Amino acid sequence: MNDSLPDVWNCPEAFEFICTKKWASLAPTDLENMRHCDVCNEHVYWSANPEEFVANSSQGRCVAVPRTGLPLDGPIGGRVSPEYYRNRVVHQAEYQLWRNGWQQVLDRDPLFILFLIRKGYPDALALYIELAAKFPERQELADRAHILLAKSDERDKFVEYLLTIDRIDEAIAITRSTQYPSIAGKIINILLSMNLVAEARKLLPMFEYYSDGYYRSICAIADRMAGLGQASAAIELYENYLGNITKNFTDVESNINNRLSDFRLLEIFGNLVVDFPAESDFVENTNRILGDDPRRKKFVLYLLNAGQIDRMVAIAETLSHDPHLLIYLVGRSSEINEFEAAQKIVAMQASGQAQFDGLNWIVNRLRSLGQNNRAIDICQWYLDRMPNIPVELEAEVLQTISNLRSQLDRR
């Protein structure tokens, strides 16, 4: 029998602790695989492999296992945790032995995972997840393990695992039982990434009403609502929040009011696109409702992204004093191949460098698409229609036309 470096485990409750004695120091008996401990007056059974370990431990016996065997533990502080091996490169081989050993034990008797969880083994959750994948039909085992994991130090990681397997209600219940806002904030963000807005709202009571955590969470929830086309619900959420503020909360109120303006604008977007199909009415009503520049800028970007190109151009005309926005609209229109819209916006620009920059956006995009003839036509349009073109810019446009024609000739 290879008895090098064995450890003695006391197992009335599945390895309650590791005895400080060694196998060689125990009194022999008539059986080769059994010795007697005169300290606790118990027989100790040699377990050379996972099968023997499971068989002996399941009967409440004290067991001895080889240090190089399965499972692997050491004498430091009564038990060396797997973290000791995992965090030290020189012990990686031992750690792998330890982990592989427990995987083999659990394959033979999955109930041992309950003891691992109860004893706080750092890898207990990871081992349970692997075990649950192997034995999905063991619902009773899962229920018992979940009760223990919900109270363990790894419960936040356990909650994340529950979300991945669609145990949403259970994850929320455990999160609420922790009473830790930091865990709630993390789980809210995960729920929102899954578009589970109603579920995320259930965790808001975990924060104090005037805390930063409540404010950040309510903003995250409202943003996700707006992203899902629920601007009205986001507005209602914010209005209820503001209505219940009784303290002097000036900065937060200001920020919330700014966000409310944005969400109300989103509501208007939808209504306007539906209610004002005639372009003249659309422009007239837009200017009346969105009477300030910041809102018009947001509106025109919304129209562009929504594919409302003609309306985007009409609103852009009211922003001709903003060259940076106009050149952005030229670039974005060119990227989505709306070249006529891009030309109209170039014509809105003040003459000179701004118009020339817009022209280059269009020409470069057409050139990348291999549409050199159309690029030449637009260059000619620029020369014919744009007033007061500086001489040096006119020369550059003529050179561009020459280069485009040369490329066509080479083809």
Side-chain angles (χ1 to χ4, degrees):
M1 178 186 298
N2 177 16
D3 59 355
S4 62
L5 295 176
D7 286 328
V8 178
W9 296 43
N10 293 53
C11 294
E13 192 188 337
F15 44 90
E16 179 65 24
F17 61 92
I18 297 174
C19 181
T20 57
K21 284 185 168 293
K22 296 298 180 184
W23 175 260
S25 68
L26 302 179
T29 69
D30 293 339
L31 299 177
E32 183 182 11
N33 68 335
M34 183 180 76
R35 294 191 177 186
H36 187 77
C37 175
D38 55 8
V39 175
C40 56
N41 197 30
E42 293 282 350
H43 290 314
V44 180
Y45 293 80
W46 179 262
S47 302
N49 53 50
E51 291 91 338
E52 292 178 5
F53 176 82
V54 168
N56 289 319
S57 297
S58 297
Q59 297 179 60
R61 294 171 171 175
C62 296
V63 298
V65 296
R67 179 94 191 276
T68 55
L70 308 169
L72 175 67
D73 257 336
I76 299 177
R79 174 175 62 115
V80 177
S81 77
E83 287 184 341
Y84 174 78
Y85 303 109
R86 188 170 54 215
N87 296 338
R88 291 163 174 79
V89 175
V90 294
H91 295 298
Q92 284 299 306
E94 288 182 306
Y95 168 68
Q96 198 58 49
L97 272 176
W98 181 93
R99 207 175 196 288
N100 290 343
W102 277 118
Q103 287 171 335
Q104 293 182 50
V105 168
L106 294 171
D107 283 345
R108 287 159 178 80
D109 188 352
L111 284 174
F112 267 87
I113 193 65
L114 303 177
F115 303 116
L116 284 171
I117 296 170
R118 186 177 293 128
K119 300 304 176 185
Y121 276 72
D123 265 16
L125 175 59
L127 287 166
Y128 169 73
I129 292 172
E130 294 176 22
L131 188 70
K134 291 178 182 177
F135 303 103
E137 72 284 355
R138 299 290 296 268
Q139 189 56 50
E140 180 185 357
L141 174 65
D143 292 341
R144 293 172 65 184
H146 286 197
I147 291 171
L148 295 173
L149 286 165
K151 301 176 182 178
S152 72
D153 291 338
E154 291 194 297
R155 56 190 161 194
D156 53 335
K157 295 180 182 177
F158 175 52
V159 169
E160 293 180 45
Y161 162 70
L162 289 173
L163 294 177
T164 66
I165 60 172
D166 293 327
R167 300 283 287 267
I168 309 300
D169 291 340
E170 186 178 353
I172 291 172
I174 292 172
T175 302
R176 295 179 70 169
S177 72
T178 68
Q179 299 182 347
Y180 291 133
S182 58
I183 295 178
K186 184 177 182 181
I187 301 306
I188 283 174
N189 288 332
I190 296 174
L191 289 169
L192 293 177
S193 71
M194 300 166 67
N195 293 332
L196 298 175
V197 175
E199 289 77 5
R201 293 184 68 172
K202 293 177 182 178
L203 298 178
L204 280 175
M206 292 185 63
F207 300 93
E208 293 184 9
Y209 197 74
Y210 293 98
S211 67
D212 287 341
Y214 193 100
Y215 168 68
R216 286 195 298 270
S217 295
I218 203 171
C219 288
I221 292 170
D223 285 347
R224 176 54 61 184
M225 285 178 168
L228 294 172
Q230 302 170 16
S232 297
I235 291 170
E236 182 181 357
L237 182 66
Y238 273 144
E239 287 178 340
N240 289 337
Y241 180 51
L242 287 176
N244 291 321
I245 289 178
T246 57
K247 294 183 179 180
N248 184 9
F249 224 28
T250 306
D251 290 343
V252 168
E253 288 184 86
S254 175
N255 289 336
I256 294 294
N257 280 319
N258 286 338
R259 286 173 170 268
L260 272 172
S261 296
D262 290 340
F263 291 150
R264 288 181 179 128
L265 190 60
L266 285 174
E267 264 196 321
I268 292 170
F269 288 165
N271 293 334
L272 285 173
V273 171
V274 173
D275 294 342
F276 301 105
E279 186 172 294
S280 58
D281 288 341
F282 182 82
V283 173
E284 178 184 347
N285 283 281
T286 299
N287 289 336
R288 177 174 59 80
I289 296 171
L290 306 177
D292 61 288
D293 283 350
R295 291 185 176 184
R296 283 209 297 273
K297 290 177 184 177
K298 292 178 182 178
F299 194 19
V300 78
L301 294 176
Y302 161 79
L303 292 172
L304 175 62
N305 293 328
Q308 301 282 334
I309 305 303
D310 291 340
R311 293 169 180 174
M312 178 273 292
V313 172
I315 301 300
E317 286 186 300
T318 71
L319 299 167
S320 58
H321 57 281
D322 190 339
H324 298 293
L325 176 63
L326 293 182
I327 195 65
Y328 173 79
L329 293 175
V330 172
R332 284 285 292 116
S333 298
S334 300
E335 287 174 6
I336 61 176
N337 302 333
E338 293 289 347
F339 299 109
E340 290 183 9
Q343 282 181 258
K344 291 177 182 178
I345 298 171
V346 167
M348 298 174 195
Q349 292 274 40
S351 60
Q353 188 65 44
Q355 287 181 340
F356 178 74
D357 291 340
L359 174 72
N360 278 335
W361 271 105
I362 301 172
V363 169
N364 289 335
R365 174 61 177 165
L366 287 169
R367 180 181 283 164
S368 71
L369 296 173
Q371 298 184 29
N372 285 20
N373 282 321
R374 189 170 183 183
I376 292 170
D377 290 341
I378 289 179
C379 286
Q380 197 60 56
W381 162 83
Y382 171 83
L383 293 174
D384 295 340
R385 300 289 183 86
M386 296 301 103
N388 306 319
I389 301 174
V391 175
E392 64 276 11
L393 297 183
E394 183 179 11
E396 287 194 46
V397 176
L398 290 170
Q399 184 60 52
T400 298
I401 292 174
S402 176
N403 294 339
L404 290 167
R405 285 176 173 155
S406 295
Q407 290 176 5
L408 287 172
D409 291 341
R410 286 197 294 272
R411 290 177 187 172

